[in-house]
Amino acid sequence: MSETGMKVFAPASVANVACGYDILGFALEKPGDEIMVRFSDKPGVRITKITGAKGKIPYEVEKNTAGFAAQKVLEHLGSPRGFELEIHKKMPFGSGLGSSAASAVGGVMAINEMLGNPLTKRELLPFAVLGEQIADGAYHADNVGPSLLGGMTFIRDNATLDIHKVHVPRGLIAVVIYPHVQVLTRDSRNILSDSVTLKQTVQQTGNLGGLLLGMNNSDLDLIKRSLNDVIIEPQRAQLIPHFYDVKEAALKEDALGCSISGAGPSIFALCANTFIAENVGNAMQKVLVDNKIENDLFISPINHEGAIRL
Ligand code: HSE
């Protein structure tokens, strides 16, 4: 409590993981957001600096995912203390990599760490989800969960945040490519049909069960058969130029599966090892480069620790 300030890191995450729309996600080791926090004489939360967001993130606490989430923790604790936050976005914004979730997680971690950790990470979860809700209007923890807790998380029910960590097989590597096209999460959610057929439901629940079982048993073949999304991906693919070419390139190089990361436009693939991941990443990137689409490529193990104080 004698410290005047500190820095926390909250990782990017891949939500949905193909067949787990709004209920499954995993964290990456990189990229992620950094939040610098300092005590201030003025009670409450203020945002004093934002870098890496090209002016697209508001300073008003009520409209800022990190600020709002941080304020909610402070209110919950009834703390009279004041805090200044600097948000350093170290990952693409609006990319489908859980950028707003990482900021919200960074916000709650920063306040909690400064106050000597009165709350556990699980207790911080609802406040971070409230912060992220500002970004797309929906209450779901499939980015916030993994960014805060680390690993892969499965949410049986978002309303009650009935969240569980899923075993991750050793060596599993994620490849994520971010094509520089704009896809707003709100829009990407709004285009989704409310109707799902019984056949789709049976296929999707089969895949989700298979994926969770495959992860739990480190059964890569079962994971490979299960990493399919028959409901959301077919509706969102149109938002991402050359999505199916990128996916085909990834699968040809032996990715276990490939789909849209969160609401897009990023595309992720899961791979059995680093050698395959590098080939998969290069193949995915070649498709975008050949079509003159600027992009960023990230290859990362699954992050098991989640948000941390640096
Ligand atoms: N599950 C969410 C979606 C993640 O796909 O819309 C992005 O917030």
Side-chain angles (χ1 to χ4, degrees), residues 14-16 20-24 96 98 100 132 136 138 140 142-143 185-186 188-189 192 232 236 260-264:
V14 170
N16 302 339
Y21 177 69
D22 276 0
I23 57 170
L24 200 57
S100 38
E132 207 232 335
D136 69 16
H140 52 90
D142 50 342
N143 284 115
T185 301
R186 254 175 223 275
S188 184
R189 294 179 78 81
L192 299 177
I232 308 296
R236 284 180 166 170
I260 300 168
S261 175

Side-chain angles (χ1 to χ4, degrees), residues 13-27 140-146 151-156 158 163-167 207-213 215 226-227 260-262 268 270:
S13 52
V14 170
N16 302 339
V17 200
C19 47
Y21 177 69
D22 276 0
I23 57 170
L24 200 57
F26 63 81
H140 52 90
D142 50 342
N143 284 115
V144 164
M152 179 180 277
T153 58
F154 165 66
I155 305 144
R156 190 204 59 81
N158 273 297
I163 188 164
H164 303 268
K165 276 188 110 165
V166 177
H167 173 261
N207 282 332
L208 179 62
L211 178 55
L212 293 175
L213 208 54
M215 295 290 292
S226 307
L227 269 172
I260 300 168
S261 175
F268 83 95
L270 277 176

Side-chain angles (χ1 to χ4, degrees), residues 6-129:
M6 63 177 69
K7 195 192 231 184
V8 299
F9 169 80
S13 52
V14 170
N16 302 339
V17 200
C19 47
Y21 177 69
D22 276 0
I23 57 170
L24 200 57
F26 63 81
L28 301 172
E29 295 222 326
K30 57 179 186 201
D33 278 357
E34 287 175 11
I35 302 232
M36 307 271 286
V37 55
R38 292 182 187 83
F39 281 122
S40 143
D41 292 338
K42 216 171 135 189
V45 175
R46 277 183 310 135
I47 294 161
T48 52
K49 193 171 182 179
I50 302 175
T51 64
K54 299 183 182 142
K56 288 186 182 165
I57 295 181
Y59 277 75
E60 296 102 299
V61 167
E62 296 290 325
K63 295 183 186 162
N64 180 292
T65 58
F68 188 74
Q71 186 169 270
K72 286 287 158 201
V73 172
L74 213 53
E75 282 169 15
H76 171 79
L77 292 172
S79 168
R81 307 285 318 235
F83 298 88
E84 291 179 352
L85 300 182
E86 283 183 19
I87 302 164
H88 300 287
K89 300 292 306 171
K90 304 249 166 151
M91 70 167 99
F93 174 71
S95 58
L97 278 164
S99 168
S100 38
S103 290
V105 166
V108 299
M109 278 290 287
I111 301 297
N112 199 47
E113 288 279 346
M114 286 290 275
L115 292 175
N117 290 306
L119 300 178
T120 64
K121 278 188 166 185
R122 279 186 179 259
E123 287 168 339
L124 288 174
L125 192 66
F127 306 105
V129 180

Side-chain angles (χ1 to χ4, degrees), residues 295-309:
N295 63 82
D296 297 311
L297 178 66
F298 304 97
I299 298 181
S300 168
I302 312 299
N303 171 335
H304 290 279
E305 212 176 350
I308 48 165
R309 176 183 172 179

